[in-house]
């Protein structure tokens, strides 16, 4: 079937089209109180309406004198000045009586008696006297047009008698969310319904950039309805955003509406996420169709709408903070497509950054929450290879990122607890977690993509945890093994155990659907071990091929009924309110390279997990045993 | 006389005292709508309340199928699927009916007839199907405590059913302006009165940092009154700022009040501007006494209050953007005092910055408006020498500063006009002006402190402008001389010329007070020339020693009656509404080093002043002749 958009253009070309068409649009101006004008942009040059000070004023606390009378004063022959006729106490800012022409600082005078000051040093005329207009001079150009007002700009304007100022209005943006399947976040979505939250995300960003934002009701996928609302919005707004429906599905009417009612600048950009973007002009007003996937919408908003919101106020968007980072693994990418990947960053002692990709996909919000930045693979590259460098747009402060610790490995709920404690206690670093499984964690540590790994890998031969795997991954190296917890592994079962599962063997029954963990996960290794121990083949387990990535997700699948059983830790069963059939106690360790033992953050972390208070908290999660938590084993492999 | 504060401490020690005392203070928390929570800081960890999606959903626009039915499909032997029982159209986000387990993209299918699709490529199970919890998983830790919420954080929370979130309240700050001499900006200050504007400046900054700010009425310098208001404010606020009265003048009661009512952390810091700062605790609440000079108050607010406003919300103040810059002249500074100097910055092709100091003084607001940054001279230094480097806290974006042009030289109103036009036309650079006089401008250009100089220096011997001075300053070098304007110089006289001044000779009359321009100003050189031509000695002119720095300031002095006459350009007379007695037409040139001719900004500037429209605007200012404006003369000196 033919797609409705075929003319995809590059990001740079798209941005150029937007700038050429709309770059000189400005909002109307309005006159507001100067006191309220911080961060607003002037529409006209501003001149001082009065001088300040407008009289000769004392610049110090002290006494006003006639300079000539102090000539020759010294410690040995001080000059005596009569209070009133020859000297008068003045504070900073006080006007200087016409008969005086200098001020002596309070520190430099003594009182001879009630009626006389003693001066031990002469002063020149105009000493410590603020000249008229010292601060601002009436008639001077204070601020040009198109200037963004700062806190001290306001001060200067008020001092100069400018109590009102003409500024560009905040751009008014109307956001129109569309989609039959969408409900608001306050509603409880039923089967087939999705929560509409993009409008609030876009609104929050636009407000930060200076816009005023209206969001209409969620509109059904009806061409006439959306068209009417869009035209209405174009009448009352400086910019209109139609959310979802920018692609080529059956309910995607935005492109047809805009073709009829306006001029299409482009439909489709070669960026990923963010491809199905529409830019159009309706009655001279920019109208954007943003894709429904949140990360697509986010990227498009940042790349294509942000600058426009600023330029409409005669302001300039700040540059994105960008760094260059190396990748240490192969990252495939389609040639001709500019790809934006969420990444974690770690920096070495030389301040070089390494980027570690998070889960892809335009709708993986959790991976966005974990990201430090967005790595950009330009359209001319067919992916990246280990050692390649690429630009990364930062989502957090560069200096903050440098201080953080990155743990890649298996998921455990105690890590979430520790991560939260570190934040609550205001340590100077965050603990970032990439939960990709034990094996992937060891691989990442070996590649220096992480500060620590977390693993619970059972050796089926020895029954020992982690050591044999570490020998394979880190031959000849020195490592620290820090025990995090011992924890119960067992089967998640639907509340009340309706299918009466009593052992691992029951999973082979024909009416039982299992859900597995991903390859390389310690829990999957354990499951395979348990199958082998019970002489069960993988093929006998219905659902062995279906994978979840975390304990919580596995427990959730059982709780929802999409599977009857899954293997995982007890704590997740408690969170998701499913039954738990304990099978094993396993060991979960943190793995750290030995040269990192003097890293204060590593020490702080180990010190934290050694606290009795933390151990109690972890054990409260359920199924945890903290007897060896914090115990360090040095390994020479 | 003994000052009330003697225990001044260093900035670092002061900040430490504040952090130790108040660093762990937090505001109370409040529950607000997630949609309104951008930039707010979480008080508790936030967990997902639901998974999203909560059903198997299509990840693409296309058709849902049973993967097994597509096995073996190819272009040569396509598979035919019946609409309804074997295939169903789905859009992105639609639920997958239970009988299907894969989606084929719309681009990859064809319709055989009304009731059948043709498939030319097989797909695996779960192809283009979003798994349950792909975006967020119920029960997962989404966001820790003490996390500042971004736009996409809000999206994830709303998707996960978290419609309300517990955040730290915005700190409430009460500002109490005090001072008998102060009036609001709306009032017209009478002799001896000053406008109170610091409260609005501090408020604008605090709001930007996340606080809610109340400003009380301006209080008279009455100890009991200020004390009562301060105690009331401490009851209802998280932080209190008393403005002015923090020093040791007769009306400065803040220190006495705080000694009685609270605990003094320190009184006085070794910073300049900003010395008379008080920090105290009243009922556990931080109370600051800020100095009355605006730039002192500004510095203290930035250095000592900013971090506290952030930490009260469990947030971290962003680092000041700082660069290192070289100075090319001697800058004196008192040892033991940390000095903050307003500077302009220019950067060379190697991206090294040079800092050029602006006027000092704690109350020179105009110089703050001109500044690019604040240069810091540490307490252990007795000033800086040419070639020394020092840190500069940036007031503008580093990349913007790099693009700007800096002109140092004589003041002319046409330069203000051009500066404003450049902004209005959205050129990619600003023209920054330091108006210090013609001679100082040439000196700065010679030291590479500026991009251009502006001068109108008459050679009394030849009657020629600038050339002979340039020969002295730039011997052996190549320069470009670009004419800016010819302009009328003459005497500013009070409206109606009450003292009947008809010529330069009348200035020697005993009832006439003159006001001069500063040494090195072209206008002063011209005045000296005119005196000489008329055989008048400087001593014969009453007021010859009194100096103003700009035409506007000189005209203002005459308008106000502090002098009877001053020499300057006609345009300033028109702005200040004084009479003007024309004496000479003089030439004002821009001077640029020849190697800058290929600088696109220089070219853009020359192109601009060559525009007829600009020349008309300049001539409208009065007293200007633009016949040679933009004319370039190449000089080999």
């Amino acid at each position: 079937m033919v797609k409705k958009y075929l003319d995809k253009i590059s990001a740079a070309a798209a941005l150029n089209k937007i700038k050429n068409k709309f770059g000189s649009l400005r909002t109307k101006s309005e006159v507001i109180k100067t006191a309220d004008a911080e961060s607003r942009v002037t529409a006209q040059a501003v001149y001082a309406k009065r001088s300040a000070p407008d009289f000769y004023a004392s610049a110090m606390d002290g006494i006003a004198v006639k300079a000539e009378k102090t000539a020759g004063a010294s410690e040995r022959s001080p000059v005596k000045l009569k209070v009133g006729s020859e000297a008068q106490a003045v504070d900073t800012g006080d006007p200087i009586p016409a008969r005086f022409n200098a001020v002596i600082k309070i520190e430099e005078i003594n009182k001879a008696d009630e009626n006389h000051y003693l001066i031990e040093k002469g002063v020149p005329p105009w000493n410590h006297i603020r000249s008229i207009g010292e601060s601002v001079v009436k008639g001077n150009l204070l601020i040009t047009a198109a200037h963004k007002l700062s806190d001290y700009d306001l001060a200067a304007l008020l001092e100069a008698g400018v109590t009102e100022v003409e500024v560009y209005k905040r751009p008014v943006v109307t956001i129109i969310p569309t989609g039959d399947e969408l409900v608001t976040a306050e509603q409880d979505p039923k089967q087939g319904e999705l929560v509409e939250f993009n409008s609030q995300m876009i609104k929050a960003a636009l407000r930060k950039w200076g816009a005023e934002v209206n969001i209409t009701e969620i509109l059904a996928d009806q061409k006439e309805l959306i068209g009417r609302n869009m035209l209405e919005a174009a009448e009352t707004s400086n910019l209109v955003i139609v959310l979802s429906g920018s692609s080529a599905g059956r309910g995607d009417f935005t492109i047809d509406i805009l073709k009829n009612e306006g001029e299409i600048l482009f439909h489709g950009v070669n960026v990923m996420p963010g491809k199905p973007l529409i830019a159009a002009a309706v009655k001279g007003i920019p109208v954007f169709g943003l894709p429904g996937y949140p990360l697509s919408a986010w990227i498009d908003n940042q790349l294509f709408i942000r600058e426009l919101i600023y330029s409409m106020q005669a302001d300039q968007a700040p540059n994105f903070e960008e760094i260059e980072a190396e990748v240490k693994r192969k990252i495939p990418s389609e040639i001709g497509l500019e790809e934006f990947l969420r990444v974690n960053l770690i920096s070495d002692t030389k301040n070089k950054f390494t980027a570690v990709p998070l889960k892809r996909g335009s709708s993986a919000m959790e991976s966005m929450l974990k990201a430090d930045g967005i790595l950009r693979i330009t359209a001319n590259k067919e992916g990246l290879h280990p050692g390649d460098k690429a630009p990364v747009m930062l989502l957090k402060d560069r200096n903050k990122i440098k201080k953080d610790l990155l743990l890649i490995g298996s998921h455990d709920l105690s890590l979430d607890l520790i991560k939260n404690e570190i934040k609550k206690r205001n340590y100077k670093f965050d603990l970032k977690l990439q939960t990709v499984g034990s094996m992937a964690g060891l691989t990442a540590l070996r590649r220096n993509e992480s500060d620590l790994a977390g693993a619970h890998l059972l050796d089926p031969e020895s029954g020992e945890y982690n050591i044999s795997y570490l020998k394979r991954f880190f031959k000849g190296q020195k490592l620290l093994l820090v025990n995090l917890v011992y924890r119960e592994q067992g089967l998640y079962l639907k509340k009340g155990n309706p299918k009466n599962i009593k052992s691992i063997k029951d999973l082979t029954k024909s009416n039982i659907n299992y859900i597995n963990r991903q390859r390389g996960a310690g829990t999957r290794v354990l499951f395979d071990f348990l199958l082998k121990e019970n002489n069960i083949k993988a093929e006998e387990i219905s659902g062995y091929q279906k994978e979840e990535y975390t304990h919580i997700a596995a427990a959730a699948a059982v709780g929802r009924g999409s599977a009857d059983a899954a293997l995982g830790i007890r704590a997740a069963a408690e969170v998701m309110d499913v039954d738990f059939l304990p099978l094993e106690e396993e060991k979960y360790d943190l793995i750290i390279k030995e040269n990192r033992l003097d890293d204060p953050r590593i020490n702080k972390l180990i010190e934290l997990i050694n606290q009795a208070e933390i151990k109690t908290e972890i054990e409260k999660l359920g199924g945890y045993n903290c007897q060896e938590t914090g115990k360090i084993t040095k390994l020479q492999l």
Side-chain angles (χ1 to χ4, degrees), chain A:
Chain A
M1 263 181 235
V2 183
K3 292 213 82 167
K4 294 186 196 166
Y5 62 100
L6 292 165
D7 57 338
K8 278 182 297 176
I9 58 174
S10 73
L15 198 55
N16 264 336
K17 276 181 188 263
I18 293 169
K19 276 191 192 167
N20 289 339
K21 184 76 185 178
F22 302 121
S24 57
L25 280 186
R26 296 286 177 275
T27 57
K28 291 201 179 117
S29 68
E30 61 181 338
V31 174
I32 63 170
K33 281 193 158 190
T34 301
D36 298 327
E38 198 272 332
S39 286
R40 300 296 292 272
V41 182
T42 51
Q44 298 290 342
V46 186
Y47 298 86
K49 287 191 178 169
R50 60 181 171 229
S51 293
D54 206 15
F55 51 89
Y56 291 107
S58 178
M60 291 285 169
D61 297 331
I63 56 169
V65 298
K66 189 140 183 88
E68 293 74 3
K69 292 258 178 179
T70 69
S74 69
E75 272 183 60
R76 285 169 56 194
S77 61
V79 169
K80 212 181 212 180
L81 295 177
K82 192 166 165 26
V83 174
S85 63
E86 295 180 320
Q88 181 179 316
V90 283
D91 283 338
T92 306
D94 283 352
I96 304 296
R99 64 188 183 281
F100 300 126
N101 67 356
V103 167
I104 307 178
K105 280 203 282 188
I106 196 166
E107 294 96 319
E108 295 171 356
I109 51 181
N110 288 300
K111 267 209 154 175
D113 54 52
E114 198 58 16
N115 295 313
H116 293 87
Y117 292 107
L118 269 189
I119 308 302
E120 297 183 340
K121 209 175 116 192
V123 292
W126 309 108
N127 189 58
H128 295 320
I129 288 186
R130 296 179 62 191
S131 63
I132 294 171
E134 178 188 275
S135 186
V136 290
V137 175
K138 181 177 168 182
N140 265 5
L141 172 73
L142 291 181
I143 280 166
T144 62
H147 173 89
K148 188 170 196 165
L149 294 164
S150 70
D151 53 353
Y152 53 82
D153 287 336
L154 305 192
L157 294 183
L158 291 173
E159 183 170 37
V162 182
T163 54
E164 291 186 326
V165 63
E166 189 178 346
V167 296
Y168 287 99
K169 283 192 176 182
R170 297 188 178 285
V172 175
V173 180
T174 300
I175 299 178
I176 306 174
T178 71
D180 291 338
E181 75 285 15
L182 297 181
V183 296
T184 67
E186 281 75 18
Q187 292 169 276
D188 221 13
K190 299 187 205 76
Q191 167 83 7
E193 290 181 340
L194 292 170
V195 171
E196 195 291 301
F197 51 88
N198 284 345
S199 59
Q200 297 297 347
M201 174 178 75
I202 302 294
K203 178 182 177 177
L206 297 176
R207 286 186 58 178
K208 201 162 180 166
W209 304 334
E212 275 172 18
V213 183
N214 307 309
I215 303 176
T216 68
E217 284 187 348
I218 300 171
L219 301 186
D221 287 325
Q222 293 166 16
K223 194 163 159 181
E224 192 276 331
L225 176 71
I226 299 171
R228 183 159 32 94
N229 276 272
M230 192 269 293
L231 285 174
E232 268 176 41
E235 295 282 352
T236 56
S237 318
N238 300 107
L239 191 145
V240 178
I241 297 174
V242 181
L243 283 183
S244 310
S246 66
S247 189
R250 288 164 308 142
D252 295 345
F253 298 121
T254 313
I255 188 67
D256 295 338
I257 296 166
L258 289 171
K259 268 182 191 157
N260 290 338
E261 304 292 350
E263 171 200 347
I264 305 291
L265 269 59
F266 58 83
H267 184 200
V269 274
N270 281 320
V271 301
M272 175 86 169
K275 213 185 315 185
L277 171 71
I278 307 172
V282 175
K283 300 176 182 175
I285 298 293
V287 179
F288 289 92
L290 283 191
Y293 277 136
L295 299 173
S296 309
W298 188 85
I299 286 276
D300 284 342
N301 191 38
Q302 295 283 335
L303 295 184
F304 304 109
I305 300 182
R306 195 178 79 112
E307 279 190 47
L308 203 47
I309 298 294
Y310 279 92
S311 71
M312 280 181 165
Q313 306 163 69
D315 196 6
Q316 247 185 310
N319 289 333
F320 288 118
E321 255 240 277
E322 232 180 48
I323 54 125
E324 188 155 83
E326 189 181 318
V327 298
K328 293 188 169 155
R329 59 174 87 171
K330 198 166 181 292
I331 302 174
S333 171
E334 201 180 305
I335 199 152
L337 203 59
E338 192 161 344
E339 277 218 69
F340 293 87
L341 261 79
R342 299 175 284 288
V343 294
N344 279 126
L345 291 167
I346 78 164
S347 76
D348 62 17
T349 46
K350 284 169 196 146
N351 281 328
K352 278 198 245 160
F353 284 99
T354 294
V356 192
L358 285 149
K359 195 163 137 188
R360 284 186 176 193
S362 314
S363 68
M365 286 310 295
E366 279 194 46
S367 75
M368 185 73 180
L369 299 192
K370 288 172 187 283
D372 295 314
I374 311 276
L375 177 134
R376 189 156 53 87
I377 307 178
T378 48
N380 61 350
K381 287 209 174 133
E382 214 176 336
L384 300 173
H385 294 88
D388 281 358
K389 286 181 175 172
V392 178
M393 191 176 124
L394 297 183
L395 295 170
K396 298 176 185 166
D397 183 78
R398 174 198 313 245
N399 294 307
K400 231 194 116 326
I401 292 171
K402 279 187 197 165
K403 289 182 193 149
D404 291 345
L405 283 182
L406 177 59
L407 184 153
I408 302 185
S410 175
H411 179 236
D412 187 74
L413 291 181
S414 70
L415 290 171
D416 288 345
L417 187 152
I418 291 163
K419 176 187 171 72
N420 194 44
E421 281 300 319
I422 287 174
K423 268 302 236 186
K424 271 165 71 182
R425 287 161 189 236
N426 200 18
Y427 286 6
K428 296 296 169 233
F429 63 93
D430 284 1
L431 177 64
K432 294 180 298 204
L433 306 173
Q434 264 204 32
T435 49
V436 293
S438 297
M439 294 280 206
L442 297 186
T443 310
L445 185 65
R446 185 170 57 187
R447 285 196 289 235
N448 291 317
E449 288 183 323
S450 66
D451 298 296
L452 349 81
H456 56 109
L457 288 163
L458 172 65
D459 180 358
E461 309 302 316
S462 65
E464 197 185 41
Y465 275 86
N466 294 326
I467 306 284
S468 67
Y469 293 84
L470 294 177
K471 281 186 181 149
R472 227 193 302 152
F473 274 81
F474 298 96
K475 204 168 170 59
Q477 296 188 42
K478 288 181 179 173
L479 291 181
L480 300 172
L481 199 70
V482 183
N483 181 250
L484 182 66
V485 288
Y486 283 80
R487 60 185 196 180
E488 272 182 294
Q489 284 267 17
L491 288 178
Y492 302 134
L493 304 171
K494 192 141 200 169
K495 201 84 189 161
N497 194 9
K499 296 212 172 160
N500 197 28
I501 298 168
K502 293 257 168 73
S503 73
I504 196 98
K505 282 187 183 142
D506 291 342
L507 300 182
T508 58
K509 287 185 186 160
S510 66
N511 67 335
I512 306 290
N513 272 306
Y514 184 75
I515 193 154
N516 209 344
R517 291 289 307 282
Q518 84 278 18
R519 240 160 288 212
T523 300
R524 183 168 176 142
V525 173
L526 176 64
F527 188 60
D528 289 344
F529 171 75
L530 292 171
L531 291 185
K532 205 176 157 195
E533 215 180 33
N534 289 277
N535 288 314
I536 302 167
K537 291 201 180 99
E539 302 89 77
E540 293 174 63
I541 304 291
S542 160
Y544 182 90
Q545 304 300 340
K546 285 185 78 180
E547 300 177 347
E548 287 292 356
Y549 272 73
T550 64
H551 299 289
I552 289 276
V558 172
R560 200 171 46 230
S562 24
D564 300 306
L567 188 65
I569 60 171
R570 183 190 283 273
E574 309 220 339
V575 170
M576 299 310 296
D577 199 26
V578 292
D579 280 4
F580 185 73
L581 175 67
L583 296 175
E584 288 278 333
E585 185 173 66
E586 65 167 12
K587 186 166 173 256
Y588 185 111
D589 294 316
L590 303 176
I591 298 107
I592 305 161
K593 293 200 174 171
E594 200 228 20
N595 59 6
R596 297 297 297 283
L597 190 52
D598 56 352
D599 185 322
R601 299 166 301 172
I602 297 286
N603 282 303
K604 196 95 180 161
L605 177 66
I606 294 174
E607 185 198 289
L608 179 70
I609 64 177
N610 269 297
Q611 291 182 16
E613 189 189 334
I614 294 293
K615 291 181 185 176
T616 308
E617 286 298 314
I618 292 175
E619 288 182 345
K620 267 197 219 155
L621 293 171
Y624 284 103
N625 170 347
C626 289
Q627 260 183 296
E628 292 193 9
T629 297
K631 188 185 153 195
I632 302 175
T633 313
K634 292 193 182 188
L635 300 176
Q636 167 68 61
L637 301 167

